[in-house]
Amino acid sequence: MDELKKYEVWFVTGSQGLYGPETLKQVAADSAVIASYLDKAPGISQRVVFKPILTTPDSIFELCSEANNSKVCVGLIIWMHTFSPAKMWIRGLSVLQKPFLHLHTQLNRDIPWGTIDMNFMNLNQSAHGDREFGFIGARLRLNRKIVVGHYQDPDILDRISVWLRAATAYNDMQGMKVARFGDNMREVAVTEGNKVSAQIDLGYSVYGFGVGDLVKYVNDVTDGEIKTLLDEYSSEYTMTKEVASSDTLKDAARIELGMEAFLKGGNFKAFTTCFEDLHGLKQLPGLAVQRLMVKGYGFGAEGDWKTAALVRSMKVMAIGLKGGTSFMEDYTYHLDPAETRVLGAHMLEICPSIALAKPAVEVHQLSIGGKADPARLVFKTATGPAINVSVIDLGNRFRMIVNKVEVVKCPDMPNLPVASVLWKPLPDLKRSAAAWILAGGAHHAGFSSSIDAEYMEDFAGMTGLEYVIIDEKCDLDSFKKELRWNEIFYLVSGSRI
Ligand code: MN
């Protein structure tokens, strides 16, 4: 959580000069009370910074420009305590590049029936002041989250907290570098995409490297560093003596140290590997990838840079929250009509942040890739609600598909040598899979039991990503129509709104 305290959201209040200095002083004092309450609210992990009351087009423009240039400001919370003629906001909001949340609130929760007079009404008029502000957001076609209610209402704090985490991930994504070791798995379609479009729409850049660039770092790792890391493995995981003393585990440690040095040195926040591009590495990085994910790196297999970036963003949103977040793949089905289930896993690369108990390091053969048997962490996953998320490139835009799932208890699978998750997708497998496939969702996903669909919806809104949800309410006929209508919408509006 402390990691998030370095980020700020600015609490911005609009008004106008007509009220006179005394009223504006009161407006400022009231706003400071709300900003301070939000700043101290336990569920809000970022700092909430009070900003002076804005009453002119110039001051609004300056504040929005300042927010754009701030490295720590992830967005604005905007509120009209009184009336603020919204033409004043056009210039500032037109240049604002940070997300904003429109907080439609009031200092007082209740109307003071016995004492209310005209002065009170004039001071506390967000009920119509915020509608004037809302119009200009609609007129400018700006994305924003609108949160309505008294500022101390726990539900309002939850909505703000979710949005703030999404805004922090959005901020983290701007200028983010994704390292791509090797290229795409040959002939695979969905992991491809337009990297220039991604940089324009989403803000991150994908850097391709030959595996030899990584191998150089791996070869530079010292025996002393390997020894220290092997000790760490022994304390964090269970393993047999045979595995603990194996050359395979030493090689895995060497790969992890080399990869981490490479990623740190280049300031990368996410990365991809590809089992078809391993020249010079003794084994497919399994344990290394799993451990780097738990440290906060995004990951996508088979060159899947979109999922790598997505997993990173989901991990940023989830900082300090219960549960975990991982790269994921729908692997195989249990089609018993009484309980249809999806077994999610990957060849190796599932993040131990979602593990139910202490993972085991195991070494097994990998029947793909033609390399040495790789080390990997094997574990089962805690049960409860979770989401799977995919981002695909449709040519003229990116689409985010979110499916709500329920992770359920998994029977023992003594012969399955990888980490796995068993889930029941909502509304059920038939409708979920049909909708996911209709929408073009990838076989790869970002999986999280820490965050829910609301985070992803807020995040998608900030980026201009098309967002479709498959949840308990999913109706396939409506879903098909939504996809068709969205085609027209994005043709008319362009990829961003
Ligand atoms: Mn895969």
Side-chain angles (χ1 to χ4, degrees), residues 204-217:
Y204 63 78
S205 179
V206 182
Y207 288 51
F209 295 97
V211 177
D213 295 324
L214 171 62
V215 168
K216 190 178 168 309
Y217 279 78

Side-chain angles (χ1 to χ4, degrees), residues 185 191 275 301-302 327-329 331 346-347 349 443-444:
M185 179 178 166
T191 48
F275 68 90
E302 292 110 42
F327 174 70
M328 189 56 66
E329 186 167 73
Y331 225 109
H346 202 256
M347 286 189 291
E349 309 93 335
H443 50 276
H444 289 164

Side-chain angles (χ1 to χ4, degrees), residues 302-315:
E302 292 110 42
D304 189 347
W305 49 270
K306 293 191 297 298
T307 305
L310 172 69
V311 169
R312 162 68 186 189
S313 295
M314 291 171 78
K315 281 186 172 286

Side-chain angles (χ1 to χ4, degrees), residues 110-302:
D110 301 339
I111 293 178
W113 307 107
T115 58
I116 185 167
D117 58 12
M118 212 54 214
N119 283 340
F120 182 91
M121 286 245 288
N122 278 336
L123 180 63
N124 299 287
Q125 52 178 274
S126 61
H128 67 275
D130 272 329
R131 287 170 200 253
E132 166 73 359
F133 180 74
F135 165 74
I136 211 64
R139 178 66 178 82
L140 291 168
R141 273 77 171 171
L142 295 175
N143 174 266
R144 71 272 199 220
K145 183 172 190 171
I146 298 160
V147 175
V148 182
H150 190 246
Y151 69 96
Q152 293 180 352
D153 176 352
D155 174 65
I156 298 311
L157 296 174
D158 284 349
R159 305 284 73 72
I160 295 173
S161 164
V162 167
W163 175 85
L164 255 174
R165 284 172 173 274
T168 305
Y170 176 79
N171 193 66
D172 175 79
M173 187 168 65
Q174 305 312 306
M176 169 161 91
K177 290 164 66 184
V178 180
R180 201 177 193 219
F181 298 120
D183 197 75
N184 197 61
M185 179 178 166
R186 287 183 271 283
E187 298 284 17
V188 173
V190 78
T191 48
E192 288 283 14
N194 189 322
K195 302 190 199 80
V196 177
S197 298
Q199 198 165 346
I200 293 168
D201 285 2
L202 305 172
Y204 63 78
S205 179
V206 182
Y207 288 51
F209 295 97
V211 177
D213 295 324
L214 171 62
V215 168
K216 190 178 168 309
Y217 279 78
V218 171
N219 290 343
D220 284 348
V221 171
T222 65
D223 289 345
E225 290 172 297
I226 292 173
K227 163 107 187 32
T228 309
L229 189 54
L230 288 174
D231 290 345
E232 199 178 316
Y233 291 170
S234 300
S235 66
E236 283 188 34
Y237 315 118
T238 61
M239 65 184 92
T240 62
K241 278 192 183 135
E242 197 188 354
V243 167
S245 60
S246 65
D247 285 344
T248 302
L249 194 63
K250 281 183 198 132
D251 289 337
R254 176 179 285 284
I255 291 173
E256 178 182 333
L257 289 159
M259 275 189 141
E260 190 166 17
F262 187 101
L263 296 171
K264 269 192 186 155
N267 215 6
F268 294 102
K269 294 173 177 172
F271 67 104
T272 72
T273 58
C274 181
F275 68 90
E276 287 177 332
D277 294 301
L278 293 176
H279 189 72
L281 291 180
K282 288 188 178 162
Q283 52 181 279
L284 175 66
L287 182 60
V289 169
Q290 291 178 293
R291 286 177 44 86
L292 288 167
M293 259 194 280
V294 91
K295 289 181 182 178
Y297 288 99
F299 173 75
E302 292 110 42

